[in-house]
Amino acid sequence: MPWWTITFWTILLLVCVAAWRLGGRHEREAASLLLLAAISTVLVRSSAAGRYSSVEVGVLAVDAALICGLVVVAVRSGRWWSIALAVLQGITLLGHLGKFLDPGLWRLGYAIMITGPAFPGLIILLIGIIQGRGAATSQSNTTSSRPSSRVFRA
């Protein structure tokens, strides 16, 4: 397995754990969508010998479903990171369109276009988790002096 694949899966899992433990609802949703899409992509992509020689229809379907989910998260959250994540997924879809419009497109070029936005997407989600955590901490600091009707569990 190439080093970049190991690196991607390691970073993906670490970001997912961070989202599930430290993130808010939208961060957890986005992380779950990314993990599900990554696993689905492995299951539907073509064999290594023929990979990226034509439009990866299964991967295209996964990417289309992922952008739908990310757009829902972006609309619900309205946070910059969720919008940026959906835009990166749109760039991935443009890679599929490029291969469709030009079937002679170099295989490596197609591979880079549809996999390249994944790493920046993970970084953006991680920044969103950190910013959301900071906002939650500062919000709890400003509201801690006020009485609360909520019951918190330890």
Side-chain angles (χ1 to χ4, degrees):
M1 186 178 299
W3 67 267
W4 57 85
T5 303
I6 295 169
T7 303
F8 169 76
W9 282 99
T10 302
I11 294 171
L12 174 63
L13 292 174
L14 289 172
V15 169
C16 286
V17 168
W20 296 327
R21 295 195 60 180
L22 306 172
R25 175 178 158 228
H26 300 111
E27 290 86 356
R28 291 190 304 269
E29 289 173 351
S32 298
L33 287 169
L34 292 177
L35 181 61
L36 181 62
I39 293 169
S40 299
T41 296
V42 170
L43 297 175
V44 301
R45 68 183 178 197
S46 59
S47 66
R51 194 170 299 154
Y52 308 121
S53 60
S54 62
V55 174
E56 292 281 334
V57 178
V59 178
L60 171 60
V62 170
D63 287 339
L66 178 58
I67 196 169
C68 291
L70 291 175
V71 166
V72 169
V73 171
V75 168
R76 287 182 181 167
S77 75
R79 297 189 180 122
W80 74 269
W81 66 263
S82 62
I83 297 166
L85 200 54
V87 167
L88 282 173
Q89 188 57 29
I91 292 169
T92 297
L93 285 176
L94 288 175
H96 290 292
L97 178 64
K99 184 65 173 180
F100 176 76
L101 294 174
D102 182 8
L105 182 67
W106 189 36
R107 287 172 62 169
L108 181 59
Y110 177 45
I112 290 169
M113 286 191 301
I114 68 171
T115 60
F119 281 103
L122 293 174
I123 293 167
I124 287 171
L125 177 55
L126 184 60
I127 292 169
I129 294 165
I130 293 167
Q131 284 185 339
R133 185 99 171 128
T137 304
S138 68
Q139 188 177 32
S140 68
N141 288 342
T142 58
T143 60
S144 62
S145 59
R146 295 185 215 152
S148 177
S149 60
R150 294 183 187 171
V151 176
F152 294 98
R153 293 183 203 172

